[in-house]
Amino acid sequence: MKHTLPALASTLSLIAGFALADSHASAPEPVATADIKTLDGTVLGTATVTPGTNGILIHLKVEGAAPGPKGVHLHQIGDCDPATEFKSAGPHIGDADNAHGLLHPDGPHAGDLPNLYVGADGTGEMQAITSAVSLEETPGGLLDSDGASVMIHAEGDDHFTQPGGNTGARLACGVLEPAS
Ligand SMILES: [Cu+2]
């Protein structure tokens, strides 16, 4: 007994060590990121895209924004041209397939996301899992040949009104680029 117990203990710690190392090794990294800028070129924040088991995790962080809810969508084209007031980013991903709105009975667009909430200090953060978009396949893939953009709107999305949920102007836009 005196010999087998320590042997058993060291075997168990070896197994635990392998299990721990394994779970850490599999933590996925973002596959795409976007710097989100306003019309005058100010960087408002960043977005990352990380594939998970139940979908793609979108993680958005901003600072220096006006407080309150902001609509957030994935738009079809990776082009944030301020001269077009970001209309160069095109419509929401999946806008031809469904109505707009996470709460619309005929919705949502694949690119519809929950609102970002900005606090009184101008910072805000949002995380959402979506299985409505893919990374590569067209149409609407986040990293397909025409890319995709993360758009922050001036007003919160009511998730129902057509075509954009009453979110108002396109406040800030970021082109998703493959993470290096
Ligand atoms: Cu939008």
Side-chain angles (χ1 to χ4, degrees):
M1 283 299 277
K2 275 174 190 168
H3 295 286
T4 53
L5 266 180
L8 182 65
S10 82
T11 304
L12 283 176
S13 72
L14 201 65
I15 292 169
F18 274 124
L20 203 65
D22 212 44
S23 66
H24 278 268
S26 59
E29 296 285 323
V31 297
T33 63
D35 287 335
I36 301 172
K37 297 177 184 172
T38 59
L39 286 170
D40 68 5
T42 304
V43 176
L44 203 67
T46 57
T48 62
V49 169
T50 309
T53 307
N54 288 344
I56 293 171
L57 180 73
I58 311 286
H59 187 179
L60 182 61
K61 282 172 104 166
V62 300
E63 57 181 39
K70 315 276 175 230
V72 181
H73 312 129
L74 300 167
H75 284 241
Q76 284 178 15
I77 303 165
D79 184 358
C80 295
D81 181 1
T84 69
E85 297 180 320
F86 299 143
K87 290 187 174 61
S88 56
H92 302 164
I93 293 176
D95 85 310
D97 304 329
N98 295 311
H100 169 80
L102 294 171
L103 300 179
H104 196 288
D106 298 323
H109 293 153
D112 291 349
L113 291 172
N115 285 320
L116 163 74
Y117 284 83
V118 178
D121 66 354
T123 68
E125 192 162 357
M126 184 272 273
Q127 284 194 328
I129 284 275
T130 175
S131 56
V133 292
S134 63
L135 288 176
E136 280 153 26
E137 302 92 81
T138 53
L142 296 183
L143 297 175
D144 66 2
S145 58
D146 68 354
S149 300
V150 178
M151 192 75 68
I152 301 175
H153 288 263
E155 309 292 337
D157 192 329
D158 65 15
H159 302 305
F160 187 79
T161 304
Q162 303 307 302
N166 257 336
T167 51
R170 298 181 176 196
L171 179 72
C173 183
V175 176
L176 283 169
E177 310 274 6
S180 48

